Amino acid sequence: MIVWILFLATIFIFLALDLGVFNKTPHIISSKEAGIWTGVWVALSFGFSGVVNWLYSNEYIANPTKIKPAVATIKYITGYLIELSLSIDNIFIIAIIFASFRIPQKYQHRILFWGILGAIVFRGLMIYFGVILINKFSWMTYLFGGFLLFTAIKMLFKGNEDEFNPKKSFVYRVIGKIIPITSHTEKEHFFTKINNVNHATPLFVALLVIEVMDMLFALDSVPAILAITSDPFLVFSSNIFAILGLRSMYFFLANMLEKFSYLEYSLIAILTFVGIKMLVVHHYKFPEWASLSFIALSLIIGIIISIKKSQVED
């Protein structure tokens, strides 16, 4: 528990510094600033693999699956890459939500900051119950595996009719029934008073819609990483680092999302692979290096094809 407490304390210190020091004053985050922070979070995420190796080598953390330190390190990196790749879809949705509610760029970071706090809590709960289910009921791996394959097939054949409209969402309608919604943005505030009546600003509505969409995406990402390992610490830490890097990655990629359109096929390939891995887990176990290699190669191929196609179109 000491390791868990220290890990969570460190994460919240990072977040406190983020909002209280580096982004105390709302401002438009440039591509250069976002690129630097993206590099910092990616470096920290991969650097944490060394901490994972150290923790498991010295038995400072519970090891319920009895894996070796080197294997734990590879599983952490593989899980992180899966979560990072599946976050790409989140970026598309976040861009749509911000555009729909006309959220000024300088306030977008504040929304994503509070969104991450909610995501940490919800992901933690999903991972906790997911690990319990897999350890208690072995057949749950088949259920998760089948769900991931279904998601991959749905992504492959989805059309334009699946385009998301935040203002027509269930969340928006529910909020409107609980509290009046104003289209007026009151600086960085989530609520404002109009004629002595509290109204939710577009910032608050966007925050709640993003939170709900993250819950929906977690239904894919959590089972996907459970295909790699059911070790709670590895699943949670890789999830958290992917979430923490999502904000800066959004600001870095927001203006060039169309150039990475072929990454969608990389995500389909990854979901298909981990789905099959879960379905055959009781009959054949893929080597750790094979899982890591496939996921990394899928991402690299998707990025290269996307860049080449965009250059040809330009």
Side-chain angles (χ1 to χ4, degrees):
M1 287 302 297
I2 293 177
V3 172
W4 279 91
I5 292 170
L6 289 175
F7 177 74
L8 289 172
T10 303
I11 294 303
F12 284 116
I13 288 172
F14 280 144
L15 289 173
L17 288 173
D18 187 339
L19 189 66
V21 179
F22 299 112
N23 292 282
K24 186 176 182 179
T25 303
H27 66 285
I28 296 176
I29 297 178
S30 65
S31 296
K32 181 180 178 181
E33 181 183 353
I36 292 172
W37 277 109
T38 298
V40 168
W41 280 115
V42 171
L44 284 173
S45 302
F46 279 104
F48 190 74
S49 62
V51 176
V52 169
N53 189 282
W54 175 71
L55 289 173
Y56 283 80
S57 295
N58 293 281
E59 299 181 352
Y60 289 146
I61 188 77
N63 188 358
T65 54
K66 307 299 180 185
I67 53 178
K68 295 181 179 179
V71 174
T73 305
I74 295 176
K75 284 182 179 292
Y76 163 79
I77 295 173
T78 305
Y80 170 71
L81 288 177
I82 287 179
E83 295 304 312
L84 196 64
S85 61
L86 293 177
S87 295
I88 300 298
D89 266 2
N90 289 44
I91 293 176
F92 280 92
I93 295 298
I94 290 170
I96 293 172
I97 293 171
F98 283 159
S100 177
F101 292 111
R102 298 179 181 178
I103 305 297
Q105 285 185 315
K106 63 180 180 179
Y107 301 138
Q108 291 177 2
H109 179 276
R110 175 177 170 82
I111 293 174
L112 293 180
F113 172 86
W114 290 107
I116 280 176
L117 289 180
I120 289 175
V121 174
F122 183 74
R123 295 290 179 99
L125 290 173
M126 279 200 69
I127 290 166
Y128 175 76
F129 289 110
V131 169
I132 289 176
L133 286 173
I134 280 187
N135 289 333
K136 191 171 179 114
F137 308 106
S138 59
W139 53 266
M140 286 298 296
T141 56
Y142 299 122
L143 183 62
F144 286 163
F147 177 73
L148 292 176
L149 284 178
F150 169 77
T151 303
I153 293 170
K154 186 178 178 182
M155 288 176 65
L156 184 62
F157 293 105
K158 75 176 181 180
N160 292 330
E161 68 275 5
D162 292 325
E163 289 184 358
F164 175 63
N165 186 347
K167 290 188 176 180
K168 292 182 179 180
S169 66
F170 174 75
V171 183
Y172 185 85
R173 294 197 301 270
V174 170
I175 296 171
K177 291 179 180 179
I178 297 174
I179 184 173
I181 298 173
T182 177
S183 59
H184 175 67
T185 300
E186 183 66 29
K187 296 184 178 179
E188 73 271 23
H189 301 304
F190 290 128
F191 299 95
T192 185
K193 277 196 174 183
I194 300 177
N195 297 325
N196 291 322
V197 177
N198 275 327
H199 285 64
T201 68
L203 273 70
F204 180 73
V205 180
L207 171 63
L208 288 190
V209 174
I210 288 174
E211 288 284 13
V212 172
M213 293 309 299
D214 180 74
M215 292 179 189
L216 295 177
F217 278 111
L219 295 177
D220 298 335
S221 63
V222 172
I225 195 172
L226 288 174
I228 303 301
T229 178
S230 58
D231 183 297
F233 184 74
L234 296 179
V235 176
F236 185 72
S237 59
S238 57
N239 241 278
I240 296 307
F241 273 108
I243 292 172
L244 290 173
L246 178 62
R247 289 167 309 151
S248 54
M249 190 177 295
Y250 164 76
F251 292 109
F252 181 61
L253 297 176
N255 297 323
M256 45 183 176
L257 287 174
E258 293 181 359
K259 293 185 178 181
F260 294 93
S261 57
Y262 283 85
L263 266 178
E264 186 86 359
Y265 295 100
S266 296
L267 304 187
I268 292 171
I270 291 171
L271 284 174
T272 302
F273 173 77
V274 294
I276 292 173
K277 184 174 180 179
M278 294 193 89
L279 290 174
V280 302
V281 68
H282 296 128
H283 308 285
Y284 176 76
K285 291 189 176 181
F286 289 89
E288 300 307 325
W289 61 266
S291 299
L292 179 57
S293 300
F294 181 87
I295 291 163
L297 190 61
S298 296
L299 288 173
I300 292 171
I301 291 174
I303 291 171
I304 292 174
I305 293 177
S306 296
I307 292 175
K308 286 189 175 181
K309 289 290 183 180
S310 64
Q311 287 175 345
V312 171
E313 291 173 359
D314 293 340

